[in-house]
Amino acid sequence: MGKYILLVTLALGLSTTILANQGMQTDLETSESQAERQEIILARQIAQSAFEMGVSKLRRDFQNWRVERSQIAHRGGTFDLTAAGSSGGPVSLTAVGNFGDARYKVTGTAEEEEQVSGLFNGITAAGSVDFDISGPGCSGGPCVSGIDASGNGNRRGISIPNSGTPSQDEDDVCSTFGDKVNGQGTGCDVNSRTQGLDEWIESEMDKLRSQIEKKVNQGSDDVTVCTGNGSGNGNGSGNGNGNGNGNGNGNGNSGESPNTCRMNGNSTDSGILYVKGDFRFNGQAQWNGPVYVVEGGSVRINGGGGTAQVNGSLLMEENTELDMNGGNRVQYNSEKIRDYFGSMGSLSALSVRITNRSGRIVR
């Protein structure tokens, strides 16, 4: 009996020792696994940080910055960074983060592209604008859209100046448009700017007007002028009256000023529309390009169905007016802006776009 008790005691002791050793082994393996995971996390963070450094360098000097560096100390580890490609062409950017035994790689392709100035939105109002939406107003879709029809970066639906009560101003404009304004923001996308941005907008509008006036004086075919007397210089596609299609001679129809320039029916035209008087869209007439309205000018859009009467951007100086009546729309389109303002340095900028970005553990 005593031997039996002794054997049982020894067996229990041995089992306890084995279990304890197994527990220690499990704890050790868990600790090692956690340490490995932590090294991978740190290696990934180093690689991502190095990749962003490369992107920043390319944004400052896309044409010339190319590099191949390795074992650069960073955050307790090291990184390797390579930017390869011909001058002006796509750049293959690779960053590898090293921490302990872990290696993590981030790759991507950098390309330079022209980006339209932040001045342009669906509608940009430099100062006080009288918005008047009547009739069925924008049936079946937004009145104003900052969603880029060209599929590039979206903008605000309507950008308005800051009068000191931004929330109230935004609510008032949204109410006028029946909340049918969309863009890069959520809900009804009307944005009341900061004071600093207001000053920048005014400065950029002055530059833009100066550039347009210069084109007009040079007789450029890119610009169509609607003046106070209903005549214009055309844009080469029409006969030189009003919008270049012969619709700007103002015949004094009922409800119109005799100085009104017009586009009727299903007519289309393109270029920079420079409104110094009153311009009216009737039916499904469409302008492809930016529309600039000087102080005292107005734009009225009648009818339209699903057509975007302004397919580009509408820029309005202080004390201007926009009337919309029917299923009509002002649509932001970066390509239509770039077509006519791409050569104006202050109105466009080069940006670096990253595509095909991916990351993985390197074994």
Side-chain angles (χ1 to χ4, degrees):
M1 184 68 178
K3 291 181 180 180
Y4 177 76
I5 293 174
L6 179 60
L7 287 172
V8 170
T9 302
L10 289 172
L12 288 174
L14 182 59
S15 298
T16 302
T17 302
I18 292 172
L19 290 173
N21 288 336
Q22 287 177 341
M24 292 176 62
Q25 181 65 29
T26 300
D27 290 343
L28 180 60
E29 290 174 352
T30 300
S31 298
E32 290 176 348
S33 178
Q34 289 176 342
E36 289 175 1
R37 286 198 296 270
Q38 187 64 29
E39 286 184 352
I40 291 171
I41 291 171
L42 293 172
R44 182 176 66 234
Q45 292 174 347
I46 292 171
Q48 290 172 339
S49 178
F51 189 88
E52 293 304 325
M53 289 180 192
V55 173
S56 178
K57 291 283 190 179
L58 285 169
R59 284 176 175 155
R60 288 196 293 269
D61 188 8
F62 185 85
Q63 298 297 321
N64 301 309
W65 189 77
R66 304 292 183 269
V67 71
E68 184 173 358
R69 302 180 67 186
S70 60
Q71 297 300 303
I72 308 301
H74 185 67
R75 294 183 179 180
T78 63
F79 68 81
D80 308 330
L81 183 61
T82 303
S86 60
S87 178
V91 176
S92 177
L93 187 62
T94 302
V96 177
N98 310 290
F99 193 95
D101 294 328
R103 286 167 56 81
Y104 194 93
K105 178 188 287 187
V106 178
T107 61
T109 302
E111 297 178 277
E112 192 174 48
E113 62 180 7
E114 187 179 55
Q115 188 176 54
V116 171
S117 165
L119 170 65
F120 298 96
N121 299 281
I123 297 175
T124 300
S128 175
V129 174
D130 182 11
F131 295 117
D132 184 11
I133 310 303
S134 57
C138 320
S139 57
C143 296
V144 181
S145 177
I147 304 299
D148 190 0
S150 296
N152 299 317
N154 298 329
R155 298 296 174 84
R156 307 314 298 250
I158 301 177
S159 175
I160 59 175
N162 189 334
S163 68
T165 57
S167 296
Q168 184 61 48
D169 293 342
E170 291 168 2
D171 289 345
D172 288 347
V173 174
C174 281
S175 178
T176 298
F177 283 89
D179 292 333
K180 292 185 176 181
V181 180
N182 65 7
Q184 68 182 35
T186 58
C188 179
D189 191 41
V190 175
N191 175 244
S192 179
R193 302 183 295 264
T194 63
Q195 183 176 353
L197 188 54
D198 270 350
E199 294 172 355
W200 181 81
I201 289 288
E202 290 176 6
S203 173
E204 291 299 291
M205 290 279 278
D206 287 343
K207 293 177 185 177
L208 181 57
R209 183 171 181 176
S210 176
Q211 293 277 10
I212 294 173
E213 291 281 4
K214 183 177 180 180
K215 282 180 173 284
V216 171
N217 293 334
Q218 293 172 342
S220 172
D221 289 342
D222 287 346
V223 183
T224 292
V225 183
C226 169
T227 65
N229 60 12
S231 64
N233 71 332
N235 66 1
S237 62
N239 62 10
N241 291 324
N243 63 9
N245 284 323
N247 295 324
N249 54 4
N251 59 10
N253 288 346
S254 175
E256 290 185 7
S257 161
N259 299 328
T260 299
C261 311
R262 299 189 312 281
M263 288 182 71
N264 297 320
N266 296 319
S267 60
T268 62
D269 213 332
S270 60
I272 302 168
L273 179 57
Y274 190 40
V275 181
K276 302 176 75 173
D278 307 310
F279 195 93
R280 180 169 292 206
F281 292 93
N282 295 319
Q284 298 192 54
Q286 182 180 64
W287 188 270
N288 293 297
V291 177
Y292 188 103
V293 186
V294 304
E295 185 172 1
S298 69
V299 171
R300 181 177 177 86
I301 304 177
N302 294 320
T307 302
Q309 278 72 21
V310 176
N311 183 33
S313 181
L314 179 59
L315 301 110
M316 310 189 76
E317 291 187 356
E318 190 171 10
N319 299 322
T320 52
E321 182 178 349
L322 172 64
D323 298 323
M324 300 179 77
N325 177 19
N328 37 50
R329 186 165 80 255
V330 175
Q331 174 70 54
Y332 173 71
N333 190 326
S334 63
E335 290 303 320
K336 300 301 180 184
I337 297 168
R338 187 178 287 112
D339 285 345
Y340 300 101
F341 287 146
S343 61
M344 299 183 185
S346 65
L347 299 175
S348 62
L350 292 174
S351 65
V352 173
R353 182 168 62 99
I354 304 298
T355 59
N356 303 319
R357 179 167 176 166
S358 64
R360 64 183 178 86
I361 299 170
V362 181
R363 298 295 183 184

